[in-house]
Amino acid sequence: MTLRHPSPPAPSPPRPWRQRPRTRRVAAGIAVGGAVVLALTGCAADGGEPVVAGPPSVSASPGMPVGPVPEGLGEFYAQTLTWGDCEKFAVSPDSQQAYAADGLECARMTVPLDYAQPAGRQVTVGVLRKAASGARTGSLVVNPGGPGASGMGLAADLASAVAGTPVGEHFDLVGFDPRGVGASEPAVTCLTGPENDARRALVDVDTSPAGIARSEQVAKDYANTCADRVGVDVLAHVGTREVVKDMDVLRSVLGEQKLTYLGYSYGTRIGTAYAEAFPANVRALVLDGAVDPMADPVQELVLQGQGFQGAFDAFVADCVKLSDCPLGPVPEAAVVRYRQLVNPLVAAPVTTRDPRGLSYADSQTGTLQALYSPQLWSALRAGLAQLAAGKGDTLLALADLYEGRNADGSYNNTNDAFNAIRCVDDPPLTDRATNDAAEAQYRKVAPFLDDGRATGAAALDTCAFWRVPATSTPHPVSAPDLPEVLVISTTGDPATPYAAGVDLARQLQARLLSFEGNQHTVALQGQSCVDEVVTAYLEDLKLPEEGTRC
């Protein structure tokens, strides 16, 4: 049984930007995949002169901070980024190709590991920039969510997506890999490629006392491996609390008096936390696919289960229009048919051209990957039809995408970073009665994910055994000096339910833009109604009328 916690646009077709589901599965977490190419068959910066960029309203001088500087952090706020080739920042084959695009520049930004001890150990944050093609308004800093996804990758993708638009003409697109993620150093990497393959092959559906003990031992082993390989000191300082401070340093070194930011999914949590910590430093925030910082983690989990069930139901409604729908012609029978297809994988994987085969866990992961966007529904139909014929190649490809597995068997570190960040961002669930009740609720609201093996008990997840304490707790947002910002929420969002956006907009006293659709996040992804609103706000701080829907 999987209990899940949950990042935006690339060409051919766009990737689903998402809040990644929380899971009780072994070593927890599901990684954000790259762009789906549906041939589903199968550093220190170098070169360049120091550059400090600033909008026309800012006179930024090299070695001078911009805006207010917290005590003891002057050297960080005043540093000059040396922009150069992005080649050495590419940590995967996908990023090697994306970072080779014309006009991209990369640099490293230095920040303290522990902001309470700025004279102590330092770490670096990878930054990627695509300069505005026309008259420059300023920098637009972006984050794709996850947590654990690459902001550098998002900026590279968006640079292509917004080329020739007002956003691309007037804003430098800037993405950073949050500390511990991607090209930032040190990166949170807990498992090797073969170890990740072995994790995904494990069958974790036994909720008997013995099965729970085995699952929890694996979770403990993973937590200890992360602490031993990454270091407790690093794990203690990779949370959102530190990332927002890094983002304010970035604002200064980019030469910006105030921050303009677009965050998707978990990226909305970063934006919200920044608004709380630095409200006077905000020019504009677009928060798309909202995470509600006040939500109880169990409530958030159950709401997300409902969201994924809704996305599955929408997929079924589309599928049954076709004569060859692998779930049959009757929508009401689709959950039963789906379980008939995937449950046998508990006993043994099905054959794939890859010698790994399709495991039960990967069948679930591949399904969830496809439910983030209707553009992936055809791949899910193909994968389920293939499964009915005893083959698992398409679902395995979808799962590999979600897990961040490269063709050479290596993995990006999104999955490990996801665990490290979420385990310090929220208090762990350790009360067994609450944990068991959450399991039962999740099975009830997401029957397509219910394997039918419930006993009323469930294993505690990885964060219950994490070796560093949480640095944040759920709380209502308080940012009284914040200018009015823009929150976008999608009615059929599977990963960050619509209600979370409504709640976040209320707490921030923000303007809410509602999008009617079945996908996770929407800004700058080709929906003209939404993109016109976002562009007007980013350029001129013009907000839509109350109650606007697209």
Side-chain angles (χ1 to χ4, degrees):
M1 173 63 185
T2 53
L3 283 184
R4 311 204 169 252
H5 172 75
S7 288
S12 306
R15 72 182 65 176
W17 301 92
R18 58 174 167 273
Q19 172 78 358
R20 298 168 56 218
R22 295 189 181 187
T23 175
R24 295 187 186 284
R25 214 179 64 211
V26 179
I30 292 183
V32 175
V36 179
V37 180
L38 290 182
L40 284 178
T41 56
C43 41
D46 287 298
E49 294 296 321
V51 175
V52 173
S57 60
V58 174
S59 178
S61 301
M64 294 294 291
V66 177
V69 179
E71 184 177 356
L73 299 177
E75 67 173 295
F76 301 103
Y77 274 71
Q79 68 186 286
T80 299
L81 297 186
T82 301
W83 298 97
D85 195 292
C86 291
E87 179 181 359
K88 290 190 176 181
F89 291 80
V91 295
S92 71
D94 282 348
S95 59
Q96 286 173 356
Q97 181 177 3
Y99 294 3
D102 291 341
L104 301 182
E105 305 170 286
C106 291
R108 287 202 178 280
M109 182 179 75
T110 301
V111 291
L113 174 65
D114 182 354
Y115 276 91
Q117 302 181 46
R121 181 179 176 182
Q122 297 178 350
V123 298
T124 66
V125 172
V127 185
L128 180 146
R129 177 178 71 177
K130 175 63 182 294
S133 62
R136 183 178 178 279
T137 299
S139 298
L140 171 60
V141 177
V142 297
N143 180 275
S150 170
M152 297 176 71
L154 170 58
D157 289 340
L158 276 177
S160 174
V162 303
T165 71
V167 172
E169 291 174 359
H170 301 148
F171 287 93
D172 294 346
L173 286 171
V174 178
F176 68 102
D177 284 358
R179 53 172 60 205
V181 173
S184 293
E185 296 177 341
V188 174
T189 301
C190 304
L191 300 182
T192 65
E195 288 170 340
N196 267 309
D197 285 347
R199 167 186 64 85
R200 292 169 58 183
L202 288 172
V203 177
D204 184 28
V205 298
D206 185 356
T207 56
S208 69
I212 288 173
R214 284 192 297 270
S215 295
E216 291 186 352
Q217 186 59 55
V218 173
K220 291 176 187 177
D221 290 344
Y222 174 80
N224 287 330
T225 296
C226 285
D228 293 342
R229 292 180 178 177
V230 178
V232 171
D233 57 339
V234 173
L235 293 180
H237 296 97
V238 295
T240 303
R241 179 188 65 178
E242 284 80 15
V243 172
V244 299
K245 296 177 181 180
D246 295 345
M247 198 156 67
D248 199 54
V249 174
L250 179 62
R251 173 199 56 75
S252 176
V253 302
L254 290 172
E256 303 294 350
Q257 192 76 31
K258 293 181 181 291
L259 177 74
T260 300
Y261 174 80
L262 166 60
Y264 298 89
S265 199
Y266 161 80
T268 69
R269 181 164 182 170
I270 295 174
T272 300
Y274 185 90
E276 291 187 285
F278 304 101
N281 293 358
V282 171
R283 174 186 175 269
L285 299 179
V286 179
L287 307 177
D288 182 7
V291 177
D292 181 0
M294 190 172 67
D296 172 81
V298 172
Q299 176 191 24
E300 182 184 30
L301 187 70
V302 172
L303 288 174
Q304 192 186 63
Q306 291 177 334
F308 275 107
Q309 183 64 50
F312 180 82
D313 293 343
F315 162 72
V316 168
D318 180 74
C319 184
V320 298
K321 297 174 184 176
L322 305 174
S323 60
D324 59 348
C325 175
L327 298 180
V330 182
E332 293 77 12
V335 167
V336 171
R337 175 58 179 156
Y338 175 76
R339 297 312 312 180
Q340 289 173 340
L341 289 173
V342 299
N343 279 359
L345 300 178
V346 171
V350 299
T351 302
T352 58
R353 284 184 294 274
D354 186 298
R356 289 173 294 154
L358 176 71
S359 69
Y360 173 74
D362 281 343
S363 75
Q364 304 297 274
T365 300
T367 299
L368 290 170
Q369 160 74 40
L371 292 179
Y372 277 99
S373 170
Q375 296 188 37
L376 305 182
W377 288 356
S378 61
L380 181 56
R381 284 197 306 271
L384 294 176
Q386 198 176 65
L387 183 58
K391 301 290 184 180
D393 294 286
T394 299
L395 285 176
L396 180 62
L398 285 166
D400 281 348
L401 204 72
Y402 208 103
E403 292 276 8
R405 189 181 194 271
N406 302 311
D408 62 1
S410 64
Y411 284 74
N412 65 38
N413 83 320
T414 304
N415 195 59
D416 291 333
F418 166 76
N419 287 313
I421 295 166
R422 75 180 182 94
C423 287
V424 294
D425 266 6
D426 292 303
L429 180 56
T430 57
D431 179 75
R432 291 198 178 273
T434 303
N435 189 62
D436 294 348
E439 165 95 354
Q441 287 180 273
Y442 196 90
R443 289 179 185 269
K444 182 177 180 179
V445 301
F448 86 104
L449 291 174
D450 184 359
D451 54 35
R453 292 171 171 82
T455 63
L460 298 174
D461 88 340
T462 300
C463 293
F465 309 103
W466 211 241
R467 282 170 45 184
V468 297
T471 57
S472 302
T473 58
H475 63 278
V477 178
S478 177
D481 297 323
L482 185 70
E484 193 170 14
V485 302
L486 179 63
V487 172
I488 304 173
S489 200
T490 298
T491 56
D493 190 325
T496 51
Y498 176 76
V502 175
D503 289 343
L504 181 62
R506 175 181 53 78
Q507 292 174 63
L508 287 174
Q509 298 183 337
R511 194 65 54 88
L512 176 67
L513 172 63
S514 298
F515 173 68
E516 296 180 2
N518 294 291
Q519 65 187 67
H520 180 47
T521 76
V522 64
L524 303 185
Q525 295 177 45
Q527 292 286 347
S528 59
C529 174
V530 173
D531 291 350
E532 288 170 5
V533 170
V534 171
T535 299
Y537 173 59
L538 290 175
E539 287 219 290
D540 303 317
L541 302 181
K542 179 183 178 182
L543 287 160
E545 295 183 3
E546 292 279 4
T548 297
R549 301 180 77 87
C550 286

